[in-house]
Amino acid sequence: MTSKDTTGDAGNFVRELIVADQAAGKRKVATRFPPEPNGYLHIGHAKAICVDFGLAQEFGGTCNLRFDDTNPTTEDVEYVDAIQEDIRWLGFNWSNLHYASDYFEQLYQLAVKLIKKGKAYVDSLSEEEIREYRGDFYKKGKPSPYRERSVDENLDLFARMRKGEFPEGAHVLRAKIDLETQNMNMRDPLLYRIRYAPHHRTGKTWCIYPMYDYAHPLSDAIEEITYSICTLEFESHRPLYDWAIRETEVFPSRQIEFARLNLTYTVMSKRLLLQMVNKGLVSGWDDPRMPTLAGMRRRGFTPEAIRAFCERIGVAKTDSMIDVGLLEHGLREDLNRRCPRVMAVLHPLKVVIDNFPEEVRHLDAPLHPEDPAHGSRKVPFSRVLYVDRDDFREDPPKDWFRLAPEREVRLRYACLIRCTEVIKDAKGAVVELHCTWDPASWGGSAPDGRKVLGTLHWVSAAHAVPAEVRLYDRLFAVENPGTTEGKSFLEEMNPHSVEVIPSAQMEPYLAEDGAVEKAGGRFQFERVGYFCVDRDSTPAKRVWNRTVGLKPAAKAAPIAAPAAPPAEIGIDDLGRIDLRVGIVREAANVPEAQKLIRLMVDLGEGRLRQIFTGLRAYYPDPAVLVGQRVVVVANLKPRQMKFGLSEGMVLAGGAEGAAHKIVTFADAEDAPKPGDKIT
Ligand code: ATP
Ligand code: MG
C-alpha cells in the first residue's frame, strides 16, 4: 500500500521495538548497513543509514559497514570508495568495516555443515530446469532427480565445484527445504553457483559464489548483529533468513523490515540511475540533479538537512510516497539559518543613475538579517548598476511594484530611484535604463514618508564579478516517473532540468579572500535562492549551483481551473462530447493517492465503469455519493492510471480554488435513468 505523505511527522517502529527489548533487559544493539557496491548511495540509502547508524548511536550500540560483495560481476572499487565517503559525509562512522567476501571460507564451511546434516544438496539440473521444477504460485514444485544424492556424493561434488572442475551452470548447491510451500523463496533455494568471474577483493581464489539470501543472514550472524534492519521486499525472505541461521546453528540475528523511501519526481533504483549515467543523460553519479548523496552534496544539500528529513519521515511498516517538497522545505529551513546573504544579478540589465555623482559609496550591509554573528560586508554603490531584467517591465500589470517607466523603487540598502528613460536596440529589446535618484532617500526611505513597495537587488557594474550560474529543476516532469504504461522513465525526464547562465554579475564581496570559504561555500542570493560553489569553478570564474529556490515551485492547481472561456464552438462540436447520466454504485477513497476517489458508475451498459475523480478534499465521506445521479463524459478515451483504468469523467463545479461539488440530479419519479443522454 502506498499513501502520499506531505506532513511527515511519523514515528519509528524499530525504535519502539528496541525500547521494549531494552526494558525487558534484552540484547545489546548491534546493527549493520549492508550496501551492495554496484552504484552510488541515494537518498533512500540515507534513510537506511540513519536507521542503522542512528539507532546504534542512540542506544549506545555498534553499527558495522558491510559491503555485500557476493556478486562479482556488477561490483566495482569506485563504488566501495564512494559509499564510504558518502556515509562519513552524512555524519556517521562505522564500528567495523567488513566485506561479505571476507567470510567466503566460513560460509563455505557452513555449507559443508548443511550438506552433512542432509540440509543441502548439489543439483545438476540447468538453471532453466530448476526454475521449471520449482513451479509457481499456482503449481507446486517437484523434486529434482538429484535431490536424494548421498551426503558423500554431495560433499565430493561441492568440493570439486570449489576446485573449478566444472563449467558454469553444471551444478549448484541448493537448500533442502520444501518444494510445496507457498513461499517460493523456500522451495529449495540456491545457495551457491559457479562463476568464473574475478572478484574485486578475492581475485581468482573462488569460482563458486554464495547467493545473497544465504550469505546475508550468516554474515549478520558472524558479526553477531542483533537487529538486521532491511527493507520490506525482504519480508518474504525472512523464513529463509531464519532457516539459514537455525540450520547452521549460528548466532540468532533477527531481521526486521521497514518501508523503503519513495519520493515524488524521483527515481531511486541504482539500476535506473546507472542507465541515466551510462546514456549521458546526466553528467555522472554526482550530477547535482541526481538523488544520490554525491549529487545532493554537490547541489548544496547539507548532511544536517538530510538527516532531519530522514527523522521527520519516520520509519513505518507500510510503503509510502513522500512529497519531494518536504525534502526541499527542510533544506530551505536549514539554509535559511546558516547562509549569509549577498546580492547577485542573474540576468543583468544596465541602469544609469543620471543625477548621481561620479563617485563610489561603500554601504555597510549585514550578512544575515537575523544573526548578527555573521557580521557585515561593504557593498560599493556607483552611478552605473545592474539590476535583474525580470525586475523591469515596460508595460507592467496593475500590481507591479518593481521597475517600469516612471515608477519608483528602492535599491536594497541604498536609495530610491525612478525610471526616466528606456533605451532599446535596433530590434526593440531593452538594453539600458536611465533613472534619477532622490538624494534625500539615502539609506532607503524618503523623508516625506512616501510609500515605495518594491525593493530590488543590484550590483555596481564597475565592481561586479562575473560568474556562471546553473539553475536546477527537478529531473523528472511527472510525479511518479516510471509508472506510466507504455512509457520508459527516460521519456519522463524534465527537458528543462538545468539552465546555465554563463554571465551573471555578483557583488565583489564574493571575490574577497576567504569570504566564500568562511561561508562554507553556501550563500543566499537575495531574492533569488540558495546557491553553492560548484567544483567546476576556476580561478578565473566561479560556478554556482542553485541548491533550491526561496519558495516552493508553484503547484499545479488541484482542479483544472476554467481559465479563460474557450473560443466559441459550434453546436456540432458539442455533439462530439457524449454526456450521459450515471448512477454511482460504489465510492471509496484510493488509499494510495491523496486526492482520488474511486467511483463505480452505472451507465446502463450492463456493467459498472471505474472512474477516478480528484475531489476527495470536498468529500470527506465519499459514501454520500452512492446512489447519486451524476453527469459522465462517456466517450473520453480511457486513461490508464497507476491505480487502474479510468473510464470517463464526472462533471463537477465550483469557484476557482474553492470547494467543488459533483453535479447531480435530484432523485424523483421522473429523474433521468442511467445511460440517458444529456443534451
Ligand atoms: P536499489 O534498489 O536502489 O539498487 P538496493 O536495495 O539494491 O537499492 P543495497 O545496496 O542492496 O541497495 O542497499 C543497502 C541497504 O539500503 C539495504 O538495507 C536496503 O534495504 C537499503 N535501501 C535501499 N534503497 C532504499 C530506500 N529507497 N529506502 C530505504 N532503504 C533503502
Ligand atoms: Mg540490491
Side-chain angles (χ1 to χ4, degrees), residues 55 92 141 182 333 355 427 432 448 451-452 456 596 619:
L55 289 175
F92 295 107
Q182 279 300 340
E333 276 182 350
N355 61 340
K427 288 191 197 126
E432 191 175 310
D448 65 6
K451 262 216 181 114
V452 175
L456 308 189
L596 293 184
Y619 289 91

Side-chain angles (χ1 to χ4, degrees), residues 30 114 139 156 182 210-211 215 262 280 286 304 319 321 333 335 348 413 439 472 503 542 612 627 641 652 673:
L114 288 177
K139 204 170 92 200
D156 174 61
Q182 279 300 340
M211 304 299 289
N262 300 298
D286 73 343
E304 291 83 0
D319 271 326
M321 176 69 73
E333 276 182 350
L335 295 176
Y413 306 119
Y472 297 106
S503 229
R542 274 222 176 82
F612 292 99
M641 306 186 45
K673 309 247 163 342

Side-chain angles (χ1 to χ4, degrees), residues 282-307:
V282 291
S283 66
W285 284 99
D286 73 343
D287 186 302
R289 294 165 295 175
M290 289 281 268
T292 53
L293 294 182
M296 294 170 79
R297 172 163 70 236
R298 189 169 168 195
R299 172 86 170 248
F301 272 82
T302 61
E304 291 83 0
I306 295 178
R307 292 203 307 263

Side-chain angles (χ1 to χ4, degrees), residues 351-356 381 385 392 401-411 415-422 433-439 441 446 448 450-452 454 456:
V351 168
V352 181
I353 306 174
D354 292 320
N355 61 340
F356 195 83
F381 183 90
L385 311 169
F392 174 78
F401 298 120
R402 300 179 253 171
L403 263 185
E406 292 311 319
R407 298 277 182 99
E408 189 171 42
V409 296
R410 175 181 303 101
L411 294 176
C415 60
L416 303 178
I417 59 167
R418 180 183 299 280
C419 176
T420 51
E421 193 187 353
V422 180
L433 302 178
H434 281 255
C435 297
T436 54
W437 77 303
D438 175 357
S441 71
D448 65 6
R450 68 181 183 273
K451 262 216 181 114
V452 175
L456 308 189

